[in-house]
Amino acid sequence: MRSLGEVIERAVLNAIEVAVTRVPRDVFEAIKSFAQRETNPRARRILSTIIEAIRVAAREGTPLCQDTGYPTFIVRIGNRFPAKALALRAIKRAVAEATKRGILRPNTVDPITNRNTGTNTGPHAPWIEIEMFRGDELEIFFIPRGGGCEGVSKLYTLPPSRGWEELEKAVLQSVIEAGPRPCPPTFVFVGIGATATMATALARKCALRQWSTKPATPLAQLEQKLLNKINTLGIGPMGLGGDTTALDLRIEIGCRHPATFIASIQFSCWALRKSHIVIGRDGSIWLDPNDFWNP
Ligand code: SF4
């Protein structure tokens, strides 16, 4: 019988493999939906090539992109889940094993020596954001972050009295400056909070949401308005022109300081990869059907 540490390590290894070889179902539906509406013939061809590439990668079990991303996790630990430190060690072991097996490209470089650690592990690598909650389970989200899209992230300290007006300009400016670099069509993530750390963490959480039509709330309507504006810029798939520059824009908000309105703007390429698993204290494993599926 496997120990809980071994169960976690194998489950995370599986989650890593699934995330780098297929996109979640909602992401696939978003790309198909925009492909049907695209009016530019070249953009339509690029979107159908992406759809075909997703199908081939899932069928062959090959990575969606040569950049399998920087390994990033959001881990929610129930207060009654045993072996909390062991769980974090198991995640690191799974990342090293996935790299050894060629599932993950070695993407972790020491910033001083410029030496690749070769294992995707090292100081603060993989990056693991931890949250605690009341419960028995361990919930793990694996979100590999491609360098092309992460490299165009922006942080704005906006004037608090005109925060929302300035946000619109900041979003459009970020998308224009990013151009083709994040491999559009992209998902644009906006986090708003009191501090830079808070805004960045909130923007990251946007990756956990699923693509769907927007509800009639003021924030969702703002998301839709900004998305529509982005899609009039003409950047298009891979920056080669067209209506489809972004597939979604999501905003997560937290209370701000009276003197600050800090906005983090992050991008994901069309390959918004994610896998989500929940492990019970008895070693049972739940796999999110939106992520573990075959296109
Ligand atoms: S931005 Fe995304 S699609 Fe482009 S190279 Fe990076 S991981 Fe691949």
Side-chain angles (χ1 to χ4, degrees):
M1 185 167 159
R2 289 199 190 100
S3 68
L4 193 52
E6 287 167 337
V7 169
I8 298 167
E9 185 179 333
R10 287 176 71 109
V12 173
L13 189 56
N14 182 28
I16 291 171
E17 186 158 20
V18 163
V20 299
T21 55
R22 66 203 67 194
V23 290
R25 189 193 294 265
D26 66 294
V27 171
F28 190 61
E29 294 304 324
I31 298 169
K32 281 202 307 185
S33 166
F34 275 86
Q36 280 158 11
R37 284 177 273 157
E38 175 63 60
T39 60
N40 177 309
R42 179 164 51 192
R44 260 203 319 274
R45 273 201 306 280
I46 295 171
L47 292 172
S48 47
T49 303
I50 289 174
I51 290 167
E52 184 56 17
I54 291 171
R55 291 197 172 113
V56 170
R59 195 169 61 233
E60 308 283 331
T62 49
L64 282 160
C65 178
Q66 40 74 32
D67 182 358
T68 55
Y70 191 88
T72 304
F73 293 85
I74 296 177
V75 176
R76 302 184 69 236
I77 308 178
N79 65 327
R80 291 186 294 275
F81 186 82
K84 298 174 182 65
L86 183 145
L88 300 181
R89 285 201 296 274
I91 290 171
K92 285 197 173 190
R93 280 201 307 274
V95 167
E97 183 61 26
T99 313
K100 193 168 137 200
R101 292 190 193 186
I103 298 167
L104 289 177
R105 185 177 80 176
N107 268 351
T108 306
V109 174
D110 182 303
I112 295 178
T113 63
N114 285 330
R115 194 180 65 81
N116 194 315
T117 69
T119 58
N120 277 318
T121 62
H124 300 293
W127 181 249
I128 304 176
E129 292 172 24
I130 299 171
E131 296 174 5
M132 301 293 291
F133 71 102
R134 268 183 196 281
D136 296 324
E137 290 139 351
L138 173 72
E139 186 172 23
I140 300 172
F141 297 91
F142 173 58
I143 314 167
R145 295 288 299 150
C149 42
E150 192 66 47
V152 291
S153 304
K154 292 272 198 268
L155 188 71
Y156 290 87
T157 53
L158 301 174
S161 58
R162 300 194 313 279
W164 290 107
E165 298 147 56
E166 296 293 323
L167 179 72
E168 180 172 325
K169 289 185 211 156
V171 166
L172 294 176
Q173 183 188 348
S174 302
V175 174
I176 291 166
E177 284 178 11
R181 287 174 59 206
C183 296
T186 56
F187 291 80
V188 184
F189 301 146
V190 181
I192 293 167
T195 66
T197 321
M198 185 177 168
T200 304
L202 288 169
R204 174 76 79 241
K205 275 186 190 293
C206 293
L208 308 185
R209 273 168 56 181
Q210 287 192 16
W211 178 79
S212 63
T213 43
K214 304 280 185 195
T217 63
L219 192 58
Q221 294 307 299
L222 175 65
E223 292 178 346
Q224 187 64 52
K225 180 179 142 201
L226 290 175
L227 177 63
N228 293 345
K229 288 204 170 181
I230 289 171
N231 283 332
T232 60
L233 294 174
I235 296 170
M238 298 300 143
L240 294 171
D243 312 319
T244 316
T245 299
L247 299 163
D248 201 2
L249 180 137
R250 302 171 185 170
I251 304 174
E252 287 289 320
I253 55 169
C255 288
R256 63 178 182 83
H257 185 284
T260 63
F261 191 115
I262 302 190
S264 166
I265 300 175
Q266 298 174 22
F267 294 83
S268 169
C269 53
W270 61 268
L272 171 50
R273 294 159 292 185
K274 169 181 77 76
S275 54
H276 172 205
I277 56 176
V278 179
I279 299 169
R281 52 184 298 157
D282 59 355
S284 58
I285 301 168
W286 177 84
L287 310 174
D288 190 330
N290 187 52
D291 304 334
F292 290 76
W293 76 297
N294 278 314

